[in-house]
């Protein structure tokens, strides 16, 4: 739906006039992210999980692995499905019920980066070609909405996958001569081939900023999300909202996003904090 | 992604693609404007083997009321694929993909329209993909913008969509279904050709930043080329209507020559103006608006034509 959060006219003009002077309300520069933290393994009952925090935005992702049959048109491929739930705890405008357009778009953008970069090694997901494969459900719940859910969901999904343990299996032949899969107690880490990381831009007037917070998002004209792999290749793009970009602006965004995602990736050791407490308030 | 690259050669060393096109060649595109009777505006696009129908209803009252926006119209777009449009029957329930594309197409059409003219209203854009062969969202938005123009809704610009793709690290334009599935990447955009603004941008698959920029540079001229086709389609359609109206007026003139003489002169003058404009490649926003207004006029005269018996007072009300 087209409706956005509410913001007063005074505040709207305050944000805009600051931007026109090259400043942002939280003191960041235009191309600066808020503090990012990923807390892996928060849910012990999931095969993998992570909470991603960008500033005050909090998003949790859980990975569940189920054995299932592959799609008929791709018998030698595992299945990965990503969903996003905008649960009512996260923001006053979120209501329970089936996912709306916004949640669907979020899920598909997070899914696209992981799918198109072929982040998860496919060999690891195929048990018996054409018969049994692992189906990975990456379910993302937005817990606190302070803007830039696109990058937060992407980071949570990546964090959860990096921390996923897949059960070991044994293939035995039963007395009827059929191949049967036995799931063992032991597990092994999911093999990841790539680590896609996204960078989201907001365009407000003629200003293009990285990592918009909630207020900035509320008054944005348009939005652009670009995801990069570690080989500095673009694996996903999504422009949203009813504004426009010029081709030159998009080219600039590509260069900035390449830098920012490289920064995040190089600090991944620091960002991923298994000892972190997700609910502590920290300045963004 | 591209598992059986050996089976289909997507692009040869000389840059010839599997269907014989060169890198920057588009498939054949044709439009039929105003094909639907009940819709306020409609367009059928045949883009290669894509067949897509777009219909516009509105501006009209938006229900449910809580969705009404006090300062602008809501552009509600619905993109659907027919169950028989793809090789394996698609279930008729809308998929997440269709919902996402619907949202994006609505948002992409928004900058082309003067939404503030119709507060609390909705402009419904319905898109039915009858046959899909790659690049449906681009073809759909190209058709939708013509349907909006056909509905006589004032527009800043037409919207033109086309996709670029990455075939074995060579950037090409306008992927078909095979290239979309087997290629390395797909990059659809929608563009306002006169205002030079990008209104829709997505990508999947792999592009290096340089390839991405190269693709953008190829897409812009392609959009401008398609825009000329769109323009021709809609001006052709309205010059046909104009001729029909002209004949009608001439017939009337014979009956009562003195009364209607002035009216005929008026429409002739308009005709001349239009011919001049068609020669003009670029045109200003102002003249764009003017043309749209004129289209509105002609549209109502088409309706008159159909009804034939409409009285003059009614006409005045309509205009």
């Amino acid at each position: 739906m087209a409706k956005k959060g509410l913001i007063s006219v005074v505040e709207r003009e305050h944000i805009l006039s600051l931007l026109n002077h090259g400043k942002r309300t939280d003191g960041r520069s235009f191309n600066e992210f808020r503090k990012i933290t990923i807390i892996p393994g928060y849910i012990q009952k999931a095969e993998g999980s992570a909470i991603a925090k960008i500033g005050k935005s909090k998003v949790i992702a859980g990975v569940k692995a189920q054995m299932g049959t592959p799609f008929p048109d791709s018998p030698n491929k595992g299945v990965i499905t990503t969903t996003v739930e905008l649960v009512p705890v996260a923001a006053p405008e979120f209501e329970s019920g089936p996912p709306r357009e916004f949640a669907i778009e979020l899920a598909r953008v997070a899914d696209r980066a992981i799918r198109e970069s072929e982040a998860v090694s496919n060999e690891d997901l195929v048990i018996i070609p054409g018969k049994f494969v692992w189906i990975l459900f990456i379910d993302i719940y937005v817990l606190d909405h302070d803007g830039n859910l696109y990058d937060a969901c992407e980071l949570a999904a990546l964090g959860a996958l990096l921390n996923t343990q897949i059960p070991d299996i044994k293939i035995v032949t039963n007395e009827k001569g059929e191949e049967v899969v036995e799931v063992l107690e032991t597990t092994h880490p999911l093999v990841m081939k790539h680590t896609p990381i996204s960078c989201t831009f907001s365009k407000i007037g003629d200003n293009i900023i990285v990592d918009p917070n909630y207020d900035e998002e509320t008054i944005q004209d348009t939005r652009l999300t670009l995801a990069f792999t570690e080989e500095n290749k673009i694996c996903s793009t999504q422009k949203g909202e009813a504004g426009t970009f010029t081709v030159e602006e998009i080219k600039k965004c590509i260069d900035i996003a390449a830098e920012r995602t490289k920064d995040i990736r190089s600090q991944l050791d620091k960002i991923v904090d298994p000892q972190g407490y997700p609910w502590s308030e920290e300045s963004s | 992604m591209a598992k059986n690259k050996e089976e289909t050669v997507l692009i040869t060393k000389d840059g010839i693609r599997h269907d014989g096109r060169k890198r920057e060649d588009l498939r054949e595109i044709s439009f039929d404007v105003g094909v639907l009777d009940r819709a306020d505006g409609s367009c059928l696009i045949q883009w290669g083997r894509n067949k897509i129908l777009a219909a516009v209803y509105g501006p009209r009252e938006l229900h449910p009321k809580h969705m009404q926006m006090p300062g602008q119209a809501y552009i509600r777009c619905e993109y659907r694929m027919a169950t028989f449009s793809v090789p394996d029957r698609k279930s008729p329930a809308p998929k997440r993909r269709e919902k996402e594309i619907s949202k994006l197409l609505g948002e992409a059409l928004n900058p082309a329209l003067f939404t503030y003219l119709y507060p609390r209203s909705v402009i419904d854009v319905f898109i039915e993909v009858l046959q899909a062969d790659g690049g449906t969202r681009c073809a759909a938005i190209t058709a939708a913008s013509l349907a909006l123009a056909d509905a006589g809704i004032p527009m800043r610009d037409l919207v033109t969509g086309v996709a670029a793709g990455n075939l074995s690290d060579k950037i090409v334009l306008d992927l078909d279904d095979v290239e979309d599935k087997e290629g390395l990447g797909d990059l659809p955009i929608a563009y306002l050709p006169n205002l030079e603004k990008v209104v829709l941008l997505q990508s999947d698959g792999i592009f290096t930043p340089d390839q991405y920029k190269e693709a953008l540079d190829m897409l812009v001229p392609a959009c401008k080329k398609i825009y000329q086709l769109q323009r021709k389609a809609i001006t052709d359609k309205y010059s046909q209507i104009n001729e029909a109206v002209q004949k009608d007026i001439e017939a009337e003139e014979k009956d009562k020559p003195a009364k209607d003489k002035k009216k005929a002169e008026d429409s002739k003058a308009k005709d001349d103006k239009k011919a001049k404009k068609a020669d003009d490649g670029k045109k200003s926003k102002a003249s764009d608006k003017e043309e749209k207004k004129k289209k509105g006029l002609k549209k109502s005269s088409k309706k008159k034509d159909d009804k034939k018996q409409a009285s003059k007072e009614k006409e005045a009300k309509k205009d």
Side-chain angles (χ1 to χ4, degrees):
Chain A
M1 215 171 78
K3 273 191 182 159
K4 296 175 182 173
L6 277 181
I7 190 163
S8 67
V9 175
V10 178
E11 210 164 339
R12 173 188 299 264
E13 277 168 10
H14 173 62
I15 298 171
L16 190 60
S17 74
L18 272 183
L19 285 175
N20 290 340
H21 287 90
K23 289 174 187 164
R24 290 170 79 170
T25 42
D26 51 12
R28 281 183 289 157
S29 72
F30 278 18
N31 298 333
E32 194 180 341
F33 261 90
R34 289 168 289 178
K35 188 179 179 202
I36 300 173
T37 319
I38 297 176
I39 298 151
Y42 191 74
I43 305 293
Q44 284 84 31
K45 292 210 168 182
E47 271 72 56
S49 69
I51 291 184
K53 293 165 71 179
I54 301 183
K56 286 174 186 164
S57 283
K58 296 180 194 71
V59 167
I60 187 166
V63 177
K64 280 283 187 186
Q66 270 178 18
M67 220 190 294
T69 46
F71 286 116
D73 59 343
S74 49
N76 295 321
K77 272 188 177 174
V79 179
I80 301 173
T81 64
T82 311
T83 67
V84 172
E85 291 274 348
L86 302 176
V87 284
V89 297
E93 67 264 30
F94 292 170
E95 290 172 12
S96 27
R100 310 257 173 97
E101 280 179 337
F102 178 42
I104 291 171
E105 191 184 0
L106 259 176
R108 284 187 53 89
V109 174
D111 181 78
R112 193 171 301 148
I114 290 163
R115 185 184 305 273
E116 298 299 331
S117 64
E118 300 185 321
V120 180
S121 165
N122 185 52
E123 288 81 55
D124 207 29
L125 298 178
V126 180
I127 302 166
I128 303 174
K131 267 187 168 173
F132 293 112
V133 294
W134 285 114
I135 301 176
L136 291 187
F137 291 93
I138 308 172
D139 295 318
I140 305 169
Y141 288 74
V142 175
L143 302 177
D144 205 353
H145 179 11
D146 189 27
N148 198 8
L149 295 180
Y150 286 88
D151 294 347
C153 287
E154 174 56 39
L155 282 170
L158 181 67
L161 284 172
L162 286 171
N163 146 271
T164 295
Q165 294 279 329
I166 297 287
D168 291 326
I169 44 125
K170 207 168 94 183
I171 299 170
V172 288
T173 316
N174 64 8
E175 56 269 26
K176 286 177 194 163
E178 290 165 339
E179 283 181 320
V180 177
V181 181
E182 214 175 275
V183 180
L184 305 175
E185 293 282 307
T186 54
T187 60
H188 64 274
L190 180 70
V191 182
M192 295 283 286
K193 286 200 294 193
H194 298 288
T195 52
I197 291 179
S198 66
C199 175
T200 296
F201 299 86
S202 238
K203 186 176 172 191
I204 305 171
D206 288 327
N207 309 293
I208 297 178
I209 53 173
V210 159
D211 180 26
N213 63 30
Y214 183 82
D215 290 341
E216 289 165 340
E217 238 173 43
T218 308
I219 68 164
Q220 75 188 357
D221 298 313
T222 184
R223 186 197 74 235
L224 181 67
T225 303
L226 291 163
F228 277 74
T229 66
E230 70 285 351
E231 296 162 316
N232 198 33
K233 287 178 177 169
I234 300 159
C235 59
S236 157
T237 308
Q238 181 92 340
K239 176 200 164 289
E241 305 299 324
T244 61
F245 282 104
T246 64
V247 170
E248 275 61 45
E249 284 168 346
I250 294 166
K251 287 181 181 170
K252 251 183 232 164
C253 287
I254 291 171
D255 296 336
I256 295 167
E259 252 177 62
R260 288 288 84 84
T261 52
K262 211 181 276 172
D263 289 351
I264 295 172
R265 193 169 280 110
S266 67
Q267 294 168 20
L268 216 50
D269 295 340
K270 258 201 264 166
I271 288 170
V272 179
D273 177 11
Q275 259 70 52
Y277 183 64
W279 316 107
S280 60
E281 198 62 54
E282 52 201 328
S283 54
S284 46
Chain B
M1 221 173 299
K3 259 200 166 170
N4 36 6
K5 247 186 211 165
E6 286 78 18
E7 287 172 24
T8 12
V9 179
L10 288 177
I11 187 157
T12 65
K13 275 179 195 161
D14 314 323
I16 304 295
R17 291 150 72 176
H18 78 106
D19 56 358
R21 281 187 289 157
K22 288 188 188 126
R23 280 177 54 197
E24 65 287 340
D25 285 354
L26 303 174
R27 287 172 284 176
E28 207 165 293
I29 305 169
S30 70
F31 303 96
D32 282 295
V33 181
V35 283
L36 301 180
D37 184 43
R38 294 296 300 279
D40 294 316
S42 60
C43 176
L44 175 83
I45 184 169
Q46 303 195 50
W47 181 317
R49 288 194 291 170
N50 286 312
K51 294 180 173 54
I52 299 168
L53 199 52
V56 169
Y57 286 84
R60 61 184 178 181
E61 193 177 355
L62 174 56
H63 289 290
K65 274 196 166 177
H66 70 83
M67 285 174 76
Q68 294 184 352
M69 287 183 281
Q72 53 176 310
Y74 177 35
I75 314 299
R76 182 163 58 190
C77 186
E78 222 179 279
Y79 165 100
R80 285 287 190 81
M81 283 176 103
T83 53
F84 43 74
S85 62
V86 281
D88 296 327
R89 179 179 184 263
K90 188 202 143 291
S91 104
K95 286 267 151 22
R96 294 204 301 176
R97 172 179 176 274
E98 286 164 293
K99 287 187 179 168
E100 184 206 357
I101 292 177
S102 299
K103 178 176 188 281
L104 291 182
L105 294 186
E107 288 166 353
L109 288 171
N110 210 303
L113 298 165
F114 297 92
T115 51
Y116 64 84
L117 290 177
Y118 310 105
R120 294 176 195 282
S121 319
V122 62
I123 298 172
D124 276 307
V125 182
F126 300 116
I127 293 160
E128 287 291 338
V129 178
L130 303 176
Q131 181 164 283
D133 190 35
T136 54
R137 75 196 68 187
C138 298
I141 199 163
T142 309
S145 85
L146 279 189
L148 283 164
D150 182 42
I153 295 169
M155 294 172 80
R156 291 190 174 88
D157 201 347
L158 289 176
V159 187
T160 305
V162 66
N166 183 357
L167 302 183
S168 324
D169 285 320
K170 288 197 179 77
I171 301 302
V172 300
L173 284 179
D174 188 20
L175 301 181
D176 68 10
D177 201 35
V178 177
E179 293 172 326
D180 187 16
K181 289 211 168 82
E182 315 260 313
L184 296 174
D186 178 22
L187 197 164
I189 71 162
Y191 192 66
L192 305 177
N194 287 307
L195 300 173
E196 307 197 318
K197 299 273 167 118
V198 178
V199 291
L200 179 144
L201 178 70
Q202 286 186 289
S203 85
D204 52 47
I206 296 294
F207 291 89
T208 66
D210 287 339
Q211 287 170 340
Y212 204 104
K213 290 174 188 171
E214 184 192 344
L216 287 173
D217 290 335
M218 280 167 81
L219 285 164
V220 170
C223 282
K224 292 190 172 167
K225 210 160 112 191
I226 297 166
Y227 168 72
Q228 293 305 331
L229 299 174
Q230 278 177 298
R231 220 177 116 73
K232 189 172 178 302
I234 198 137
T235 43
D236 280 359
K237 156 92 183 170
Y238 282 98
S239 55
Q240 278 168 21
I241 293 176
N242 216 28
E243 275 165 29
V245 172
Q246 199 75 25
K247 268 184 197 167
D248 225 40
I249 290 170
E250 275 163 21
E252 261 183 62
E253 229 173 22
K254 276 180 188 169
D255 295 343
K256 31 182 176 171
K259 234 184 182 181
D260 281 353
K261 213 173 183 181
K262 208 187 163 202
K263 200 180 167 190
E265 272 169 8
D266 274 2
S267 68
K268 254 183 201 166
K270 267 180 209 161
D271 230 22
D272 294 345
K273 246 190 203 173
K274 186 170 204 170
K276 260 185 211 168
K277 247 173 236 156
D279 296 336
D280 251 13
K282 283 178 187 172
K283 53 183 175 116
S284 66
K285 265 191 219 170
S287 68
D288 213 11
K289 264 191 225 171
E290 210 177 293
E291 195 176 64
K292 291 285 136 65
K293 261 189 210 165
K294 233 198 292 168
K295 277 173 191 165
L297 280 174
K298 276 175 208 153
K299 172 106 190 169
S300 46
S301 43
K302 171 200 170 196
K303 277 180 188 164
K304 275 179 245 161
D305 199 19
D306 292 340
K307 286 176 188 167
K308 274 187 182 167
Q309 298 297 323
S311 73
K312 285 218 167 135
E313 287 139 17
K314 246 190 184 171
E315 282 167 29
K317 263 184 202 169
K318 263 188 194 169
D319 290 346

